[in-house]
Amino acid sequence: MNHKQLELPLFTKLQTFQDKNPISFHVPGHKNGSVFPHQAKGTFQSILKYDMTELNGLDDLHAPSEVIKEAEELAQDYFNSKHTFFLVGGSTVGNLAMLLATCQGGDHIIVQRNCHKSIVNGLELCGAKPIFITPEYEEALERYTSPSVATLQEALHRYPDAKAVVLTYPDYFGRTYSIKEMIDLIHSYEIPVLVDEAHGVHFSLGSPFPPSALELGADVVVHSAHKMAPAMTMSSYLHVNSMLVSEDKIAHYLQILQSSSPSYPLMASLDIARYFLANITKEELEEIKESVAYVRDIFERSDIWNVLPISEKDDFLKITLHVKHQYAANEVTRIFEENQIYPELTTHNQILFIHGLAPFNEDRRLKNAIKSVNEQLKNNENHATIDISKQFPKKIQELDLSYTTMNKLKIIEVPYEEGIGHISAESIIPYPPGIPFLLKGERITEAHFKALAEMTEQGIRLQQRNRERIKIYRHKGDQLS
C-alpha cells in the first residue's frame, strides 16, 4: 500500500482551521456561515465553514506552494501523471485550457466529431480550423461511437501540420475503443493527443475497468471527478503527461479561465475523491460488480426494452436500456421519474443509468418503478423512430466557414425550414449528452431539419434559445425563401 495515499491534506487543513473557531473579517460574506437566511442555514451550515478564501496557510490554487500543492501532488502520484491540476470549472475549463495551450488562430486541429460542446467552444475561442473526423455508426448499438483508425490515418495524411488531435474516451455510454493504436499513430507525426476522458476518472482503478488514456500515453487528459467519483459538481482534474504540451501554458490559461476566488469545498472534494479512488479495495470492487449484475438483472424484467450487453470495451457501471421501437424512450423515462428514479440520459431510443462506486440498496423501489412502466405501457403503440445512421455523411469534414469569417457576418433568425442550405450561426445541442448535432459554421441540410423536427416531437431537450427558429449567417446575395 502507498501510505501517502492515506493522507487528506487539503480537507484536513480546512478542518484544523475551523477547529480554532476563527473570526472572519474577510470574504465571503456569509462569515463562516453566521450570516445566512434561517430557512437555509440548517442545510448549508456544515459546508459553509469550509467555504474559505486564500488566507495564510490555505494556499492559492493559481500559485500553489503549500497545502493545495500537496493535494495536487498526491493526485499526480495516484494518477501517475507528470502534473495534475485541480479544476473548479468542470471538465469544460480543462478542455478549453488544453485547446488554447496547443492551438492558435488558423491552426489545423483534428477533432472527433461527436465531442462535447466545450471542445467546440474551445475551438472557437482559439480560432483554430477544426478537421472533424466522423465516428462509426455501430448497428448493434444503433448509435455512433468512435472514429476508425483508417479515418484518423487519412486525416493525418491530409493534415500533417495539425497542432493536436482531440479524442473523446469513453463515450457517454461508457464505450471505449482502440485508443492506444490511435495515440501511437498520432505520435508518429509528433502531434500531441488531447483526451476528454470526462467519464473515465475511475478507469484509474484498473481492471475490470478499461484502461485510461492517461495510462496509454495521451499527452493531456481531462477527468470529471464529479461524474463517477465522490466529488462535488464542477470538480475535475487536468493531467499533463508529456513534453509535447507546455505545462506552463496550460497553467496560464487556467489562471485566465478559472475564478480568482476558487471554491475550497470543491477543491477539498477533489482531495477526497482521489483518496477514495486510491483506497478502494479489491473486495469492494467485487461487491460493486455483483451489485451491477443484480441491478442489470432487475432491469431485464421488462419486455419494453433490451438491456445492452457489456464487453471488455465497456464501463460496466453504465447500464443502457435500448427501448423497443414501438415505445417512446421519453415516455419510459417519464414513468421512471414519476417513481423518483432519475436516469442520466435519454435519447430517442436509449436510456442510460449509471451505477455508483458502491453497492445499490434501493432494489425494492427500482422493481416497483419497472412494474409501473410495464403496467402503463402494456398496450403497444406504434412509435415513429429516428434514423441517425446517415447523420454524418462525410468521414472527414471542415466547417463551411472559418471562425474569423463568422465573426464578420450578419446573423439573422429564420424558421427552421428556411434555414436549409444556409450556414448555421449556432450549434444545436441535445443535452445531455452535450454533443452538438449541428455545428455553428456548418451548412444546414434537409437531414438536419428532419432529425431536429423528430427530436422536438419526441421531447428531446435541446440547448437552444428559440425552438421554432434557427440563426443563420447572411451572405451578400443569399436568397431566402
Side-chain angles (χ1 to χ4, degrees):
M1 173 183 282
N2 184 343
H3 291 285
K4 287 196 302 185
Q5 292 300 331
L6 294 173
E7 298 173 9
L8 280 163
L10 184 51
F11 175 69
T12 302
K13 185 71 174 182
L14 290 169
Q15 275 189 319
T16 303
F17 191 87
Q18 281 302 325
D19 286 345
K20 296 176 182 177
N21 196 24
I23 296 173
S24 171
F25 277 99
H26 55 78
V27 300
H30 59 69
K31 301 296 180 182
N32 299 337
S34 63
V35 181
F36 218 69
H38 69 87
Q39 295 94 332
K41 194 169 187 177
T43 301
F44 280 83
Q45 186 69 55
S46 61
I47 198 68
L48 290 175
K49 63 182 181 179
Y50 295 112
D51 186 31
M52 303 302 296
T53 189
E54 292 89 344
L55 303 175
N56 285 336
L58 295 185
D59 211 356
D60 181 348
L61 177 64
H62 298 297
S65 60
E66 298 170 314
V67 69
I68 295 175
K69 182 174 186 287
E70 186 181 350
E72 287 187 335
E73 286 177 346
L74 281 170
Q76 171 186 319
D77 175 73
Y78 170 69
F79 289 102
N80 195 26
S81 67
K82 182 170 169 277
H83 187 84
T84 290
F85 292 93
F86 279 9
L87 308 179
V88 294
S91 287
T92 290
V93 76
N95 288 340
L96 296 178
M98 70 182 183
L99 289 168
L100 289 164
T102 51
C103 298
Q104 297 179 359
D107 286 343
H108 285 128
I109 179 169
I110 298 169
V111 182
Q112 183 172 330
R113 174 61 179 83
N114 56 333
C115 61
H116 188 261
K117 65 174 185 173
S118 59
I119 296 292
V120 177
N121 291 339
L123 296 171
E124 183 173 353
L125 284 176
C126 63
K129 289 185 176 179
I131 311 301
F132 291 104
I133 53 175
T134 296
E136 298 297 306
Y137 183 80
E138 292 198 28
E139 293 287 350
L141 300 176
E142 293 192 30
R143 67 172 188 260
Y144 289 93
T145 54
S146 59
S148 68
V149 175
T151 300
L152 173 63
Q153 175 71 80
E154 177 60 28
L156 289 165
H157 176 72
R158 287 195 212 173
Y159 302 95
D161 62 335
K163 297 298 182 182
V165 175
V166 184
L167 299 173
T168 303
Y169 172 98
D171 70 10
Y172 211 103
F173 293 85
R175 172 59 64 99
T176 64
Y177 54 93
S178 55
I179 195 171
K180 178 69 167 69
E181 186 179 355
M182 292 187 176
I183 291 170
D184 291 344
L185 173 62
I186 297 161
H187 281 167
S188 71
Y189 287 78
E190 297 186 353
I191 294 173
V193 183
L194 315 180
V195 180
D196 176 359
E197 194 172 290
H199 288 264
V201 69
H202 57 303
F203 289 2
S204 59
L205 294 169
S207 181
F209 295 106
S212 169
L214 191 61
E215 174 191 344
L216 298 176
D219 300 275
V220 182
V221 174
V222 176
H223 279 146
S224 286
H226 66 93
K227 281 187 165 57
M228 299 303 295
M232 294 178 70
T233 299
M234 293 177 64
S235 305
S236 297
Y237 305 108
L238 184 152
H239 312 284
V240 182
N241 212 32
S242 161
M243 300 300 292
L244 291 177
V245 179
S246 168
E247 185 182 311
D248 287 342
K249 277 190 175 181
I250 286 180
H252 169 71
Y253 284 109
L254 286 176
Q255 188 172 8
I256 291 173
L257 295 166
Q258 297 208 94
S259 170
S260 58
S261 301
S263 164
Y264 273 82
L266 296 188
M267 290 188 287
S269 78
L270 285 168
D271 196 23
I272 292 164
R274 180 271 315 159
Y275 171 91
F276 175 86
L277 293 170
N279 291 286
I280 285 184
T281 65
K282 289 182 179 179
E283 292 75 19
E284 288 170 330
L285 276 178
E286 192 57 38
E287 288 177 1
I288 294 165
K289 278 190 68 177
E290 291 173 2
S291 177
V292 172
Y294 177 53
V295 172
R296 288 178 63 86
D297 180 68
I298 294 173
F299 276 120
E300 294 278 7
R301 301 173 191 181
S302 178
D303 294 327
I304 290 171
W305 56 72
N306 294 316
V307 181
L308 292 187
I310 52 174
S311 70
E312 70 281 353
K313 296 193 294 183
D314 293 306
D315 175 2
F316 69 86
L317 296 180
K318 303 290 181 76
I319 302 171
T320 302
L321 309 186
H322 188 90
V323 179
K324 295 180 180 178
H325 292 307
Q326 63 265 40
Y327 302 101
N330 62 327
E331 276 297 294
V332 176
T333 295
R334 178 187 62 77
I335 299 169
F336 270 117
E337 291 179 350
E338 284 179 354
N339 286 267
Q340 304 306 309
I341 290 180
Y342 292 84
E344 169 66 18
L345 166 69
T346 302
T347 70
H348 68 287
N349 65 346
Q350 294 183 344
I351 307 172
L352 173 63
F353 292 80
I354 302 178
H355 192 289
L357 283 169
F360 181 75
N361 58 12
E362 294 281 359
D363 52 322
R364 181 185 58 80
R365 295 180 64 188
L366 179 58
K367 290 174 183 175
N368 287 339
I370 292 172
K371 181 181 178 182
S372 182
V373 174
N374 291 337
E375 289 174 349
Q376 291 192 45
L377 298 182
K378 60 186 175 184
N379 296 319
N380 296 359
E381 294 182 7
N382 290 329
H383 177 69
T385 60
I386 301 175
D387 180 12
I388 62 168
S389 62
K390 297 178 178 61
Q391 182 176 327
F392 304 122
K394 297 180 182 177
K395 291 288 186 183
I396 300 172
Q397 175 190 359
E398 294 188 54
L399 292 177
D400 291 272
L401 293 175
S402 71
Y403 290 116
T404 302
T405 301
M406 286 186 241
N407 288 335
K408 297 175 182 177
L409 293 177
K410 181 180 179 182
I411 296 173
I412 61 173
E413 202 170 54
V414 298
Y416 264 127
E417 195 164 7
E418 291 183 20
I420 296 172
H422 296 276
I423 295 174
S424 178
E426 60 181 324
S427 292
I428 308 298
I429 306 167
Y431 198 90
I435 297 167
F437 170 78
L438 174 67
L439 292 167
K440 181 179 179 180
E442 185 176 14
R443 194 170 297 279
I444 305 164
T445 65
E446 283 197 31
H448 285 132
F449 169 71
K450 181 179 177 183
L452 286 168
E454 290 169 339
M455 286 183 194
T456 301
E457 183 180 342
Q458 294 193 18
I460 294 172
R461 184 155 45 110
L462 301 176
Q463 286 193 335
Q464 186 187 18
R465 293 186 69 178
N466 189 337
R467 304 289 178 85
E468 305 298 324
R469 300 168 73 82
I470 189 166
K471 294 177 181 176
I472 62 170
Y473 289 107
R474 183 72 186 269
H475 284 272
K476 193 173 181 180
D478 269 353
Q479 297 298 313
L480 292 173
S481 56

